[in-house]
Each structure stands twice: as structure tokens, then as C-alpha cells.
Amino acid sequence: MKKKSSNRLISRNKKAYHEYFIKESFQAGISLAGTEVKSLRAGKCNLKDSYISIDRGEPFIINMHISPYEFGNIHNKDPIRKRRLLLNKYEINKLEGMSVKNGLTIVPLKIYFKGSLVKIDIALAEGKKLYDKRKDIAKKDMKRQAEKDFKVRNIKF
């Protein structure tokens, strides 16, 4: 019998989709302390201003805020400490090469539980210009208006 892999979303970085064009994404594990995992189970995580840097061949996520666990007392860690990401060597080399060569940024997209493990989706991303952001907002507004018009026309009396 196959075991179901339940993916439970903890947090999503909506700002990343607004600020960047996503080129390629990867799934990574993350090295956490026990109280941080308990805090994540309560859904207390913020990816808003976080980013990934590669230091001496090891990827780290910086500025990811995990609120201290309520009952963790002395075992709680610093909420915005540097946390190591778990990727294989090929993926690390690819990320590092693309970010240096092409000037791409590595940003976190979402953090979630896959079974009992905490996983994070990271992506190579290219920054958007202001006019690109405006264009995306206009597309969203047009789509929303079209859906609204379609709904109004299909109401039967």
C-alpha cells in the first residue's frame, strides 16, 4: 500500500510573486530546532523579507521569522537566525552559478510540512520593474472584472 504524502502549507511568500519573475524552483529541507518545529506546527512563520544566500558552498535562509514557541522557555532560538537549507551538491552549484552568472536572486516561495518533514520551496528569480508590476495588476483587475461580468450574466431569474 502506498502511503499518502500530506502537504500542509505553513506560510506562503506572496511578495515574491509580486516582486520577481520566477524562473526555476527547487524543494529543500531545512535544519530546525525542536521548538521551531513546534512553532511551525502552530503556523507561526513569516517569509516576507527573507532570502537565500550561499556561503562557502552551503545555502542559508536569512530573515525568515519563526516566532518563539510559547512553552519553549530556555530552548527557544533567535526568531530570525540564519537557518541551513538541505540541498544536494548539484542543486547548490546550479543555484550559486545562476545567481552569480545571470544576476538572479534566490527567494523562498513557501514553507510546508511534507509528512512529518518541514520543506521549503525556493526559486531562482529575476526582479520586476515597476511597469511589469503595473501590468500584472492590470491583468488581475481585468480577469476579476471578467469573472464578475460572467457571474452576473449567468444569474437566472
Side-chain angles (χ1 to χ4, degrees), residues 33-157:
T35 55
E36 290 175 324
V37 175
K38 289 182 178 187
S39 187
L40 286 175
R41 288 198 188 282
K44 298 183 178 180
C45 178
N46 187 0
L47 293 172
K48 196 173 195 177
D49 295 323
S50 58
Y51 61 96
I52 285 94
S53 71
I54 299 176
D55 185 27
R56 287 180 265 158
E58 291 187 352
F60 290 96
I61 185 163
I62 300 169
N63 286 342
M64 179 175 78
H65 187 277
I66 298 177
S67 298
Y69 182 56
E70 191 175 326
F71 305 107
N73 57 39
I74 62 169
H75 301 291
N76 280 330
K77 304 287 186 193
D78 181 27
I80 54 171
R81 72 182 179 94
K82 235 166 108 171
R83 294 171 181 90
R84 186 166 177 256
L85 296 179
L86 307 172
L87 291 163
N88 64 40
K89 197 56 129 175
Y90 174 77
E91 292 171 332
I92 294 170
N93 290 338
K94 185 172 184 177
L95 286 170
E96 189 172 23
M98 293 291 279
S99 65
V100 171
K101 182 181 172 188
N102 298 345
L104 299 176
T105 307
I106 309 169
V107 294
L109 299 177
K110 64 182 176 179
I111 186 166
Y112 56 95
F113 283 105
K114 186 173 183 178
S116 63
L117 303 174
V118 179
K119 298 289 185 177
I120 187 166
D121 279 355
I122 60 176
L124 282 165
E126 182 181 358
K128 285 184 182 179
K129 304 286 187 223
L130 183 61
Y131 56 85
D132 291 328
K133 293 177 193 176
R134 287 183 187 147
K135 200 181 294 182
D136 285 348
I137 291 170
K139 280 183 187 176
K140 259 189 229 174
D141 288 343
M142 287 172 45
K143 183 178 178 185
R144 191 176 303 123
Q145 186 63 36
E147 287 175 356
K148 185 179 175 184
D149 291 343
F150 182 74
K151 186 176 178 181
V152 169
R153 277 188 263 139
N154 287 332
I155 295 177
K156 294 180 181 179
F157 294 100

